[in-house]
Amino acid sequence: MPMSKAASARVARRIATAAAYGGGGLSLLGGAAVGLLFTEAQLAKRRIGGSEDEPPKADGVYGAAFAGQHRGRAVRLGFLGDSTAAGQGVHLPRQTPGALLASALAAVAERPVELRNVALPGAQSDDLERQVTLLLGEHDLDLAPDVCVVIIGANDVTHRMPPSRAVRLLSDAVARLRTAGCEVVVGTCPDLGSIEPVGQPLRWVARRLSRQLAAAQTIAVVEEGARTVSLGDLLGPEFAAHPRELFGPDNYHPSAEGYATAAMAILPTLCASLGLWPTEDERPDAARRESILPVARAAAEAVAEGGTEVAGVRGPWALLKHRRRRRLPPAEEVEAAPEQAL
């Protein structure tokens, strides 16, 4: 039986609190279920297949044609996280989420965008410290990214990392980036119950665990001054309605169309974090079911619908947004120059 949003909010707050204070968190999976779930997991793994291909390298400068139109330097965009952040499952650099968002951000800002992606397939949240260090290095903080996108959490669930530890590691990474002056947008743990080959009861358990982690991630990230976008069932009803088109050949990672759908959902929040979105859109619109809520309640609301943004406003309150999506520009309109990497 699904948990109510109020109950989900309480669980998420307990996980986030345990993460903040170093507690053990919650035991979310009873030992009696382990045998059955292990059998289901093995069956799902055979049906899913998995991809061993290296994600295409997409680092470089996007929107170089805008260089002569703007006196300011290029916008620096960092990408961190797991295989979804890296773009595993597609074959062309321009199909990865980093390239898609760099191209779109360049078109909106009318400025070049320098992309550096340090995401690692298979990464759990304990790899974020290494990735943040790669991005920031030992350079002057003036060279830090202007904005970073983090997508993490799926492997924390599948490898049974304690949720409080996963949240603490993410929170620490976000805090380091914020201290370096970066705006941060986190795509929270996707709903693993949406993966088509996964059967019951594993599907129900995977959905519950991934949503609880996503809500706790949201609370911790917002409290560090960053924003989240719920990846939900891999970003909205499009995936549920068209799984054959939006999942890749391994039935686990998104296809090129799936990554484009994800990028369209993240783009408005990415632009808003840099002040590139209309200011009137920052106010809650009741017609779009937007409101200011306690952060834990906003987190629980967000995980139920992919593409939902949560941003802190003041104290324990957060803004719940369903931003209007903007179509991505055709790839040929905003060319990349990979040789001009960060």
Side-chain angles (χ1 to χ4, degrees):
M1 183 175 180
M3 296 177 70
S4 69
K5 289 178 181 176
S8 296
R10 287 194 296 271
V11 170
R13 171 55 78 187
R14 288 168 62 195
I15 295 171
T17 300
Y21 292 100
L26 300 176
S27 176
L28 298 178
L29 189 59
V34 170
L36 178 58
L37 294 178
F38 179 79
T39 301
E40 284 286 347
Q42 296 308 305
L43 292 172
K45 188 181 294 185
R46 289 180 203 147
R47 293 194 292 268
I48 289 172
S51 172
E52 299 297 327
D53 295 338
E54 285 290 323
K57 194 71 172 173
D59 288 15
V61 179
Y62 292 75
F66 295 118
Q69 303 175 23
H70 199 284
R71 291 185 178 179
R73 63 167 175 77
V75 178
R76 300 189 187 101
L77 170 63
F79 241 78
L80 308 88
D82 55 23
S83 57
T84 300
Q88 190 159 15
V90 295
H91 302 291
L92 300 175
R94 68 170 181 266
Q95 296 173 327
T96 63
L100 289 165
L101 282 169
S103 297
L105 182 58
V108 173
E110 297 185 345
R111 289 169 61 183
V113 173
E114 297 179 9
L115 170 68
R116 187 177 182 197
N117 194 328
V118 296
L120 179 69
Q124 300 176 53
S125 290
D126 56 6
D127 193 54
L128 289 176
E129 181 179 8
R130 181 192 66 84
Q131 293 182 29
V132 171
T133 299
L134 277 177
L135 269 185
L136 300 181
E138 297 178 359
H139 302 298
D140 191 316
L141 290 184
D142 288 341
L143 299 178
D146 298 295
V147 62
C148 291
V149 175
V150 184
I151 301 175
I152 199 78
N155 296 314
D156 297 330
V157 174
T158 59
H159 290 76
R160 297 176 63 191
M161 178 182 285
S164 61
R165 180 167 184 253
V167 170
R168 181 171 64 255
L169 291 165
L170 173 60
S171 179
D172 290 346
V174 172
R176 284 183 66 194
L177 293 170
R178 294 289 294 144
T179 299
C182 307
E183 297 295 334
V184 181
V185 176
V186 174
T188 55
C189 181
D191 182 351
L192 298 178
S194 67
I195 299 171
E196 195 178 44
V198 176
Q200 296 291 12
L202 184 60
R203 180 188 292 266
W204 179 86
V205 173
R207 168 161 288 140
R208 181 166 179 172
L209 296 183
S210 52
R211 286 190 174 190
Q212 287 176 349
L213 178 58
Q217 287 177 320
T218 299
I219 295 169
V221 167
V222 168
E223 290 179 347
E224 291 294 343
R227 304 177 189 230
T228 63
V229 177
S230 167
L231 299 193
D233 53 352
L234 284 180
L235 292 167
E238 295 95 338
F239 280 91
H242 307 289
R244 301 297 183 195
E245 292 80 16
L246 296 181
F247 283 114
D250 63 3
N251 291 323
Y252 185 84
H253 295 100
S255 64
E257 292 81 2
Y259 279 128
T261 300
M264 276 196 299
I266 294 172
L267 176 62
T269 300
L270 180 64
C271 292
S273 73
L274 293 171
L276 298 173
W277 215 245
T279 54
E280 59 270 20
D281 197 44
E282 295 305 305
R283 294 187 292 271
D285 184 344
R288 285 188 285 162
R289 297 171 291 108
E290 298 176 350
S291 57
I292 295 176
L293 298 168
V295 64
R297 182 60 187 267
E301 295 271 353
V303 298
E305 184 173 348
T308 303
E309 175 187 329
V310 179
V313 286
R314 59 186 179 277
W317 301 91
L319 174 63
L320 184 78
K321 292 286 296 179
H322 299 103
R323 294 188 184 272
R324 294 184 179 90
R325 298 185 188 181
R326 176 169 179 163
R327 285 208 162 274
L328 303 178
E332 61 271 15
E333 289 187 9
V334 189
E335 293 295 333
E339 70 278 5
Q340 301 178 49
L342 279 169

